[in-house]
Amino acid sequence: MKELFIELLNHVNVELNNKLITCELEEYVTKILLNATIISIVKNNKLQSFIAYYDNDEAKKNAYLSMIVTRRDARNLGLGRMLINSMLDNLKGQKFESLGLEVLKTNDKALEIYVKYNFRIVDENDTHYKMIKKL
């Protein structure tokens, strides 16, 4: 399964001029597979889309969306919306209070989606917005 994540992330990272994953890709995949909750969609032995988030705050206050990625040829099929809704249902069921994330300022499509889900910008740096959503 690890190879499927590496393959998808490598393609998407190239699309985004290597700005999605700035560390060593295999190391990052190992980290999320070991520590994050992952919901994935696989079709014909190809990873189509996945969402990885951290829900390991013992106080159940703050979860963190690490990444949501969809293969180019699987975009605009509602997979991202389905994954986000599943994640939100899981977090609400666990009684989390908020969900944070960081997004590239240049990722207009992701920003549009996060705004639709009522995330708000709480901080920024040169390249990213930090956003949060109350659950």
Side-chain angles (χ1 to χ4, degrees):
M1 188 71 166
K2 182 177 181 178
E3 296 78 21
L4 296 178
F5 283 89
I6 291 171
E7 186 266 338
L8 175 56
L9 287 172
N10 186 53
H11 285 289
V12 174
N13 204 33
V14 169
E15 288 175 23
L16 294 173
N17 298 316
N18 294 315
K19 292 181 181 176
L20 180 66
I21 308 287
T22 57
C23 60
E24 201 276 317
L25 188 57
E26 187 169 345
E27 183 179 308
Y28 179 77
V29 169
T30 298
K31 177 185 168 189
I32 64 170
L33 288 174
L34 288 175
N35 301 307
T37 297
I38 298 172
I39 305 169
S40 59
I41 299 169
V42 178
K43 181 179 177 187
N44 298 328
N45 294 319
K46 271 194 164 180
L47 183 60
Q48 301 298 305
S49 189
F50 76 90
I51 192 166
Y53 60 97
Y54 293 95
D55 57 352
N56 50 9
D57 175 354
E58 292 181 19
K60 303 279 188 203
K61 294 185 190 275
N62 305 304
Y64 184 80
L65 172 56
S66 180
M67 177 171 293
I68 181 166
V69 178
T70 300
R71 181 176 297 284
R72 179 179 282 209
D73 59 357
R75 292 180 188 155
N76 300 312
L77 299 175
L79 300 180
R81 186 171 47 253
M82 183 173 61
L83 292 171
I84 290 171
N85 288 337
S86 292
M87 173 191 61
L88 292 173
D89 288 345
N90 289 344
L91 293 173
K92 288 175 186 174
Q94 294 179 62
K95 308 284 191 240
F96 275 87
E97 294 177 10
S98 65
L99 174 63
L101 62 85
E102 287 185 23
V103 61
L104 283 167
K105 288 181 172 182
T106 57
N107 193 341
D108 295 332
K109 182 74 172 174
L111 283 166
E112 180 182 320
I113 291 166
Y114 297 142
V115 168
K116 283 183 183 177
Y117 275 92
N118 297 315
F119 282 86
R120 61 183 176 80
I121 296 171
V122 294
D123 199 7
E124 65 181 283
N125 61 31
D126 290 341
T127 58
H128 290 80
Y129 290 117
K130 182 176 180 181
M131 302 180 85
I132 198 161
K133 171 186 177 57
K134 296 293 181 192
L135 298 174

